[in-house]
Amino acid sequence: MWTWTPPRLLELAGKSLLRDEDLAIAALENLPTELFPPLFMAAYASGCNETLKAMVQAWPFARLPLGGLVQMPDQRTLQAVLGGLDLLLARKVRPRRWKLRVLDLRNTSQNFWSVWSAATTHECLWVGPVAEDSLRMKEPLGPLVVFIDLCLRHKALDEVFAHLISWATKRRKSLQLCCKKVTIFRMPIQNIKKVLNKVQLDCILEVEVKFTWKLSTLGTFASYLGQMTNLQRLVLSHIHEPSKEERQQITKFTSQLLQLHHLRKLHMDSPTFLVGCLDQMLRCLKAPLETLSITHCRLTELDLACLSQCLSISQLKELALNGVKLTSFSLKHLQVLLDTVAATLQDLELEYCDLSDAHLEAILPAVSRCHQLRAFSIRGNPLSMAIVGRLLHQTTRLRRLSLEVYPAPLESYDSRGTIHLGRLAQAQAELREILKDLGRSRTIWLSTGSCPRCGSNVVCVSVPLTHPINGLTS
């Protein structure tokens, strides 16, 4: 049955006030703090840009998380907000209620607006943002900071971003434009350089390159990378294998890693340019990594040996070597690698590595010593029912392990290599019996697909603790 919920008095008051923008602007001087966020939302929804401009100047909080209200404001809204900031920055004497220090245009802080929404209870209006911001007011005032995340998708920046960066560039003496994350898709390197020249590179914490680059392009980008001295996460995808003339570009890239003392997460998909010279990059890592992902490339035995001896992986929490063919050389280096990170490793992915029963048998002792392991995936490897069963026995002692993805055993396929549903069901039943015998609540996933790019089909095999297990119950 549909019921009508009448608007609250606060909502009606905001709409009534906005019917006369001059009146709304005049009322801001004495407007209670808790009414600012709902009135700002109403003014944005109604397109009352003059009111927004005035509200920015009287904003009673340290942070205005505009990106949490709208992922990217339209041109007129942004101009209104920036116009309000201009008027603030031009004043020699601060307004009485001026507390704004940060304009945040990132897609975060949605909770701020939900807490202060007119739909929340009255009690919610007094928690969270007020206490946090009032404490910050005791700190010395610094320059106004504008936070953005850059997503470079096209040949040039869209109109809104271009206007923002141009506005901030002209006001460098009175504000800081801080970009925490840069994601690069399809943008020419010359245009990327123009954008990076206008932001504070030492503010950038994350860089993701999701487009195929030539090694020469990476070499050009490297000079900017070295200036991102606080970078914590770097993701590179599909860097073309270099020609003989391009190989000097590898040094341009690896040498810049020497400047990244805070780099903790390194993801490299198809880094063919590093094959045979991985040690050159590893020697330049200055801080212990938490995440290392090197996927879909042909590492050499020397590469793996250098990786297993690298000092920067001693505190590794996540390791992924998906699509790296580990069967063309001795697995002793992989054993050493796993032993090295056993004390800290939480996530391990060895998917589509051509590992056979013998290979898994060799590394099982090392895996069983990873007592912090939470996620373990070896899908896409041709393994028999016997070795999957052994894996279940070995990993049952890893009490933190909650996500396990194994390949459907070879016995689940017919002679043509096609999954046979009857055989798969039988394999599931056998594995379920093994899990019951182990006497522990557990869920494993069996991957029946073979494509490392588009995602595999998986089936679940679980034994919940609520079911009797060898006479035991929860």
Side-chain angles (χ1 to χ4, degrees), residues 288-303:
L289 292 176
E290 294 180 359
T291 299
L292 178 62
S293 175
I294 301 176
T295 57
H296 305 111
C297 67
R298 309 184 310 274
L299 292 184
T300 66
E301 185 158 4
L302 178 60
D303 289 331

Side-chain angles (χ1 to χ4, degrees), residues 160-456:
V160 174
F161 262 127
H163 175 74
L164 171 65
I165 291 178
S166 175
W167 174 86
T169 302
K170 295 174 183 177
R171 294 158 181 80
R172 278 185 168 175
K173 293 182 179 180
S174 54
L175 63 83
Q176 295 177 354
L177 180 61
C178 292
C179 177
K180 296 293 185 180
K181 182 177 180 180
V182 178
T183 306
I184 301 173
F185 289 91
R186 290 175 171 267
M187 179 174 278
I189 188 62
Q190 295 304 318
N191 293 358
I192 293 172
K193 289 168 59 178
K194 290 178 182 178
V195 174
L196 295 180
N197 283 332
K198 295 181 179 180
V199 300
Q200 290 189 229
L201 296 177
D202 59 353
C203 283
I204 297 175
L205 303 181
E206 296 185 48
V207 170
E208 293 187 13
V209 178
K210 296 187 174 183
F211 188 63
T212 300
W213 272 0
K214 294 180 179 179
L215 188 57
S216 57
T217 304
L218 179 62
T220 301
F221 180 74
S223 61
Y224 291 88
L225 184 66
Q227 298 176 60
M228 301 175 189
T229 50
N230 289 301
L231 192 70
Q232 297 176 8
R233 180 172 179 265
L234 174 62
V235 179
L236 295 176
S237 302
H238 312 298
I239 307 299
H240 279 315
E241 190 168 0
S243 62
K244 291 181 180 180
E245 294 76 21
E246 287 184 309
R247 296 205 67 84
Q248 71 273 14
Q249 301 289 342
I250 297 177
T251 302
K252 282 188 178 181
F253 166 68
T254 57
S255 63
Q256 295 303 319
L257 297 179
L258 292 167
Q259 312 302 320
L260 308 183
H261 292 263
H262 301 281
L263 186 64
R264 295 293 183 270
K265 299 181 179 182
L266 180 58
H267 301 257
M268 309 187 76
D269 188 33
S270 302
T272 55
F273 70 102
L274 284 177
V275 175
C277 58
L278 182 62
D279 63 317
Q280 183 176 337
M281 183 191 77
L282 297 175
R283 288 196 305 267
C284 296
L285 296 175
K286 304 303 292 182
L289 292 176
E290 294 180 359
T291 299
L292 178 62
S293 175
I294 301 176
T295 57
H296 305 111
C297 67
R298 309 184 310 274
L299 292 184
T300 66
E301 185 158 4
L302 178 60
D303 289 331
L304 195 59
C306 293
L307 179 58
S308 66
Q309 298 166 19
C310 177
L311 295 178
S312 293
I313 65 160
S314 60
Q315 299 177 30
L316 209 61
K317 294 181 180 180
E318 301 177 24
L319 174 63
L321 296 175
N322 302 334
V324 177
K325 306 305 179 185
L326 297 172
T327 55
S328 57
F329 38 77
S330 170
L331 283 176
K332 66 180 180 180
H333 303 303
L334 182 57
Q335 292 172 305
V336 172
L337 174 60
L338 293 176
D339 279 329
T340 301
V341 301
T344 58
L345 194 65
Q346 297 177 1
D347 297 347
L348 175 61
E349 295 182 11
L350 299 173
E351 301 177 353
Y352 304 95
C353 295
D354 279 355
L355 296 174
S356 66
D357 285 11
H359 300 116
L360 260 295
E361 192 79 43
I363 66 171
L364 262 180
V367 173
S368 66
R369 287 190 285 271
C370 299
H371 292 289
Q372 303 299 317
L373 205 61
R374 301 176 307 184
F376 178 40
S377 178
I378 53 169
R379 64 176 180 164
N381 294 293
L383 305 178
S384 69
M385 171 65 74
I387 196 65
V388 174
R390 285 215 56 194
L391 273 167
L392 296 183
H393 280 87
Q394 289 285 338
T395 54
T396 195
R397 290 172 288 185
L398 305 180
R399 295 296 177 175
R400 296 174 182 243
L401 190 59
S402 58
L403 176 61
E404 304 173 66
V405 185
Y406 302 120
L410 291 173
E411 290 84 350
S412 304
Y413 296 84
D414 60 25
S415 57
R416 296 171 297 176
T418 303
I419 196 74
H420 188 286
L421 294 181
R423 295 178 183 179
L424 177 62
Q426 183 179 350
Q428 287 179 266
E430 291 182 31
L431 292 174
R432 190 172 285 110
E433 287 302 315
I434 292 174
L435 292 174
K436 286 183 180 180
D437 291 340
L438 292 173
R440 176 185 158 202
S441 176
R442 201 162 166 190
T443 298
I444 69 171
W445 297 89
L446 299 181
S447 170
T448 60
S450 59
C451 177
R453 298 290 185 177
C454 64
S456 298

Side-chain angles (χ1 to χ4, degrees), residues 60-71:
F61 307 104
R63 179 181 296 266
L64 174 54
L66 185 59
L69 179 62
V70 52
Q71 189 164 3

